[in-house]
């Protein structure tokens, strides 16, 4: 029986692509660097004898079929656990040859980052990707599957026209139409108009595009876990590496033990929704954001504080400056102190935003609209959370932004939530969509522009003419639905702060504050905490990287003010934490 996982033990990983020692507990190691060196021929071997393992192992040459038996290299003996765990990176999206590579509508090989992209429908490619992932389990304490969404990010017009894609689409159509279906070339019409959704079988092909991406990631992860159980007798963590978040990346999360993803830009407001969505998709599993290249030390500190507030982690891409690495290492010291006192608890929320992989896949503008709304509501200091579906809404108010292609289940749940007394803030079109992208009826057909009562609840509808919602109107609508005095926090001052709170009803309230104007410090900010959040607490403890006050924090008095408590906060350089015992 396989033993329990040794790494990671918790939902946070301090990853590093540089040398160990920058406050990291795991080092990302490329597969080629972790591949063991071949052995030399034994003494006294006959002339011309081959070494015990080839100089260019089959795996590295791209000819592996099953791992690790076919590599010619036996699994290395178990080594003592290193001080810093090794996370072996395996690129499962790089094609070995033209037979595995996918094609564009014009017949050219799909290339990303200078390498041919493997088709997730290629049987040989899937087998090889699984074999590489399985072999990597013998080389480290965890495996990182890179490029899981590289093929998907090429778009419906940029990939999906190879022979493997054609056969996969024929098989999918046969499952729908029955065994009497005659094989033919279903991509012929789509090659002439690859971006059109009106072309024959375009909906089935688009549904297959999402399903193939998720299935390929699932197969590689399962193969790695099975090999670790069989070959090492342990449960190993299999993480995934994607670009900026897409619908496919969010859907893949349920098959992984953690996710490493790129942040869209160096604008902190654009990073809020990806951090919240990744945490919602992963639950208690690690979510690690990668900062774009070229960040200054001040920006590293800012985004590290933002990731800490969103219960995620931050790492830097390879080749960053020593000053940026030092800034991250310094913040991780503060992060250890905070998380030593922090216990996993539910976030304190004013409203929740739906981040649906299905709606993003079929709509395309869902995440953009939700990101703009999230940034606007964050500037208004409303406490936000993200959800991937509406099975169990946790707040009174739901934000449905750019949801023009909701699955039928979530559409029914959203309507049931409103009719039973909840509220919904609808930004843009809100309608259903079937499994092949055919548009369905609106979820709230009676809701016009403005607020409308439906059943026991209310819907505030805001129409938009483009992907950019009117931010002022979104904040005003949220305030009206929440009602006077319903928000948990209120911040007054000239600083631009992001706030997020976690409530343990039996112990304390943790309020994370991030200065989005860093490196300019935030001074003289007045904080109000509603009585239902602060409880009977009249004392807070202040933690900040620039204030060396030890593990107990700096004591701050909270003054009663009506049905809330208030205090003037100390200066905030990048981020800080206020802990209020209840």
């Amino acid at each position: 029986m396989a033993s329990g996982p040794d790494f990671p033990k918790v939902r946070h990983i301090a990853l590093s692509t540089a040398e160990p020692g920058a406050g990291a507990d795991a080092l990302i190691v490329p597969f080629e660097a972790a591949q063991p060196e071949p052995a030399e021929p034994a003494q006294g071997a006959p002339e011309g004898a081959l070494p015990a393992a080839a100089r260019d192992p089959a795996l590295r040459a791209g000819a592996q079929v099953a791992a690790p038996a076919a590599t010619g290299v036996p699994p290395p003996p178990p080594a003592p656990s290193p001080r810093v765990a090794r996370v072996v990176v395996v690129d499962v999206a790089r094609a070995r040859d033209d037979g595995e590579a996918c094609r564009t509508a014009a017949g050219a090989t799909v290339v990303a980052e200078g390498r041919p992209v493997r088709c997730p429908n290629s049987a040989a490619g899937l087998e090889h990707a699984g074999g590489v992932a399985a072999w990597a389990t013998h080389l480290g304490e965890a495996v990182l599957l890179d490029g899981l969404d590289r093929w998907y990010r090429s778009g419906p017009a940029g990939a999906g026209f190879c022979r493997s894609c054609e056969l996969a689409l024929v098989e999918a159509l046969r499952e729908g139409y029955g065994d009497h279906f005659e094989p033919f070339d279903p991509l012929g019409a789509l090659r002439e108009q690859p971006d059109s959704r009106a072309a024959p079988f375009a909906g089935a092909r688009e549904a297959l595009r999402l399903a193939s991406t998720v299935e390929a990631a699932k197969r590689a992860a399962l193969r790695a876990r099975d090999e670790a159980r069989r070959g090492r007798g342990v449960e190993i963590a299999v993480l995934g590496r994607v670009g900026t978040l897409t619908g496919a990346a969010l859907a893949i999360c349920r098959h992984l033990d953690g996710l490493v993803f790129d942040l869209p830009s160096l604008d902190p407001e654009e990073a809020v929704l990806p951090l919240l969505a990744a945490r919602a998709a992963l639950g208690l599993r690690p979510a690690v954001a990668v900062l774009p290249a070229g960040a200054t030390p001040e920006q590293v500190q800012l985004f590290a504080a933002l990731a800490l507030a969103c219960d995620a982690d931050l790492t830097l891409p390879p080749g960053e400056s020593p000053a940026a690495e030092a800034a991250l290492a310094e913040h991780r010291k503060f992060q250890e102190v905070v998380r030593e006192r922090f216990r996993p608890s539910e976030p304190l929320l004013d409203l929740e935003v739906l981040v649906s992989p299905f709606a993003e896949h079929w709509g395309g503008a869902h995440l953009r609209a939700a990101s703009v709304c999230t940034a606007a509501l964050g500037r208004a200091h409303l406490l936000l959370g993200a959800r991937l579906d509406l099975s169990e809404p946790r707040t009174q108010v739901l934000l449905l932004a750019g949801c023009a292609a909701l699955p039928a289940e979530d559409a029914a749940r959203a309507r049931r939530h409103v009719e039973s007394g909840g509220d919904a803030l609808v930004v843009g079109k809100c309608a259903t969509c079937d499994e092949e992208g055919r548009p369905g009826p609106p979820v709230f057909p009676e809701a016009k522009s403005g607020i409308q009562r439906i059943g026991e609840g209310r819907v505030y509808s805001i129409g938009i003419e483009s992907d950019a919602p009117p931010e002022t109107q979104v904040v005003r609508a949220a305030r009206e639905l929440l009602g006077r005095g319903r928000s948990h926090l209120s911040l007054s001052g000239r600083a631009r702060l992001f706030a997020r709170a976690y409530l343990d009803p039996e112990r304390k309230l943790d309020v994370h504050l991030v200065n989005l104007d860093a490196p300019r410090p935030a001074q003289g900010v007045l904080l109000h905490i509603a009585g239902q959040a602060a409880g009977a607490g009249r004392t807070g403890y202040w933690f900040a990287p620039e204030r060396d006050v030890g593990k107990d924090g700096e004591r701050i008095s909270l003054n009663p003010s009506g049905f809330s408590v208030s205090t003037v906060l100390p200066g905030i350089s990048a981020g800080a934490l206020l802990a209020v015992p209840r």
Side-chain angles (χ1 to χ4, degrees):
M1 182 176 179
S3 63
D6 293 327
F7 172 82
K9 295 178 184 291
V10 293
R11 60 178 172 181
H12 298 291
I13 302 178
L15 288 178
S16 175
T17 56
E19 292 297 326
D25 50 28
L27 181 64
I28 295 178
V29 180
F31 175 82
E32 291 77 8
Q35 174 72 22
E37 292 296 327
E40 294 296 333
Q43 292 290 336
E47 184 178 357
L50 294 176
R55 287 289 184 185
D56 194 10
L59 177 62
R60 198 175 297 171
Q64 180 181 359
V65 177
T71 61
V73 182
S81 298
R83 182 176 59 87
V84 178
R86 297 159 299 178
V87 180
V88 181
V89 182
V90 176
D91 190 347
V92 296
R94 182 172 59 184
R96 292 178 296 173
D97 50 40
D98 288 342
E100 289 182 1
C102 200
R103 302 281 176 177
T104 65
T109 300
V110 179
V111 177
E113 302 176 4
R115 302 170 179 172
V117 177
R118 171 180 286 151
C119 177
N121 295 308
S122 168
L126 289 174
E127 177 64 23
H128 181 258
V132 176
W135 171 248
T137 61
H138 295 275
L139 306 176
E141 285 66 52
V143 175
L144 179 62
L145 305 179
D146 192 12
L148 294 178
D149 66 337
R150 194 176 300 159
W151 177 82
Y152 179 86
R153 296 175 71 85
S154 299
F161 294 94
C162 66
R163 179 61 174 167
S164 297
C165 292
E166 177 186 329
L167 295 176
L169 181 55
V170 168
E171 188 62 29
L173 293 173
R174 177 173 311 185
E175 292 179 0
Y177 287 93
D179 291 338
H180 61 280
F181 183 82
E182 292 289 338
F184 74 110
D185 181 10
L187 298 176
L190 288 166
R191 288 189 177 93
E192 300 176 1
Q193 41 183 347
D195 288 320
S196 175
R197 295 232 177 143
F201 308 114
R205 174 176 175 267
E206 189 67 6
L208 179 65
R209 194 167 74 93
L210 177 61
S212 297
T213 303
V214 176
E215 182 64 22
K218 177 183 177 181
R219 287 185 58 169
L222 290 177
R223 180 78 177 274
R225 293 192 186 101
D226 289 345
E227 176 63 25
R229 296 187 188 107
R230 183 192 66 81
R232 296 181 58 184
V234 298
E235 295 285 348
I236 198 167
V238 180
L239 294 82
R241 176 73 165 90
V242 297
T244 54
L245 288 187
T246 60
L250 292 172
I252 288 171
C253 286
R254 65 178 179 268
H255 304 296
L256 301 171
D257 299 315
L259 186 72
V260 182
F261 62 97
D262 291 337
L263 293 177
S265 70
L266 290 175
D267 183 354
E269 291 185 344
E270 293 184 4
V272 173
L273 183 65
L275 290 169
L276 296 179
R279 174 48 63 207
L282 292 163
L284 299 180
R285 292 162 290 166
V288 183
V290 181
L291 199 60
T296 63
E298 291 78 13
Q299 289 173 322
V300 171
Q301 293 176 345
L302 167 59
F303 279 88
L306 188 62
L308 176 62
C310 296
D311 200 20
D313 291 277
L314 185 78
T315 190
L316 300 178
E320 288 300 286
S321 65
E325 295 282 355
L328 182 58
E330 187 66 26
H331 185 273
R332 282 173 173 168
K333 296 178 183 177
F334 166 71
Q335 183 174 276
E336 289 179 3
V337 175
V338 170
R339 286 179 175 161
E340 181 180 337
R341 298 181 60 93
F342 175 75
R343 299 294 182 270
S345 58
E346 287 294 320
L348 190 63
L349 302 176
D350 292 321
L351 68 163
E352 283 187 303
V353 54
L354 177 65
V355 183
S356 171
F358 187 91
E360 171 63 15
H361 175 71
W362 291 107
H366 170 54
L367 287 181
R368 288 197 299 272
S371 180
V372 172
C373 293
T374 300
L377 295 172
R379 284 194 297 272
H381 309 131
L382 295 177
L383 302 180
L384 295 167
R387 292 195 67 82
L388 268 66
D389 59 58
L390 298 178
S391 55
E392 296 179 359
R394 296 174 294 178
T395 60
Q396 175 75 10
V397 181
L398 295 177
L399 172 60
L400 307 176
C403 297
L406 278 180
E409 296 84 358
D410 279 344
R413 291 164 181 162
R415 186 164 185 89
R416 189 159 55 245
H417 170 78
V418 173
E419 291 177 343
S420 61
D423 298 325
L425 174 53
V426 178
V427 181
K429 185 179 179 181
C430 185
T432 59
C433 175
D434 69 3
E435 294 181 353
E436 292 191 3
R438 290 180 286 264
V443 180
F444 305 105
E446 60 271 55
K448 308 301 179 185
S449 181
I451 196 167
Q452 180 77 30
R453 181 165 290 279
I454 298 177
E456 298 295 326
R458 299 170 296 171
V459 173
Y460 199 118
S461 180
I462 300 176
I464 57 175
E465 298 179 358
S466 63
D467 293 343
E471 299 179 11
T472 304
Q473 194 173 353
V474 169
V475 175
R476 188 186 308 118
R479 295 283 191 196
E480 184 169 347
L481 289 176
L482 285 171
R484 185 176 181 182
R486 289 282 300 279
S487 59
H488 294 99
L489 299 180
S490 175
L491 291 163
S492 303
R494 296 183 179 180
R496 191 166 59 109
L497 295 179
F498 171 78
R500 185 162 171 81
Y502 298 86
L503 177 64
D504 184 343
E506 301 298 329
R507 296 182 64 250
K508 61 185 174 66
L509 169 72
D510 294 313
V511 181
H512 291 262
L513 300 162
V514 183
N515 178 20
L516 302 182
D517 288 328
R520 185 178 64 188
Q523 302 282 355
V525 177
L526 178 64
L527 169 66
H528 286 268
I529 306 176
Q532 69 268 19
R538 295 296 180 266
T539 301
Y541 295 90
W542 184 258
F543 300 87
E546 64 275 9
R547 302 171 80 93
D548 186 11
V549 292
K551 295 185 178 182
D552 294 330
E554 177 182 350
R555 185 170 177 173
I556 294 177
S557 297
L558 304 179
N559 305 310
S561 177
F563 293 98
S564 64
V565 294
S566 64
T567 186
V568 176
L569 299 175
I572 304 173
S573 177
L577 168 69
L578 176 64
V580 182
R582 291 169 60 84

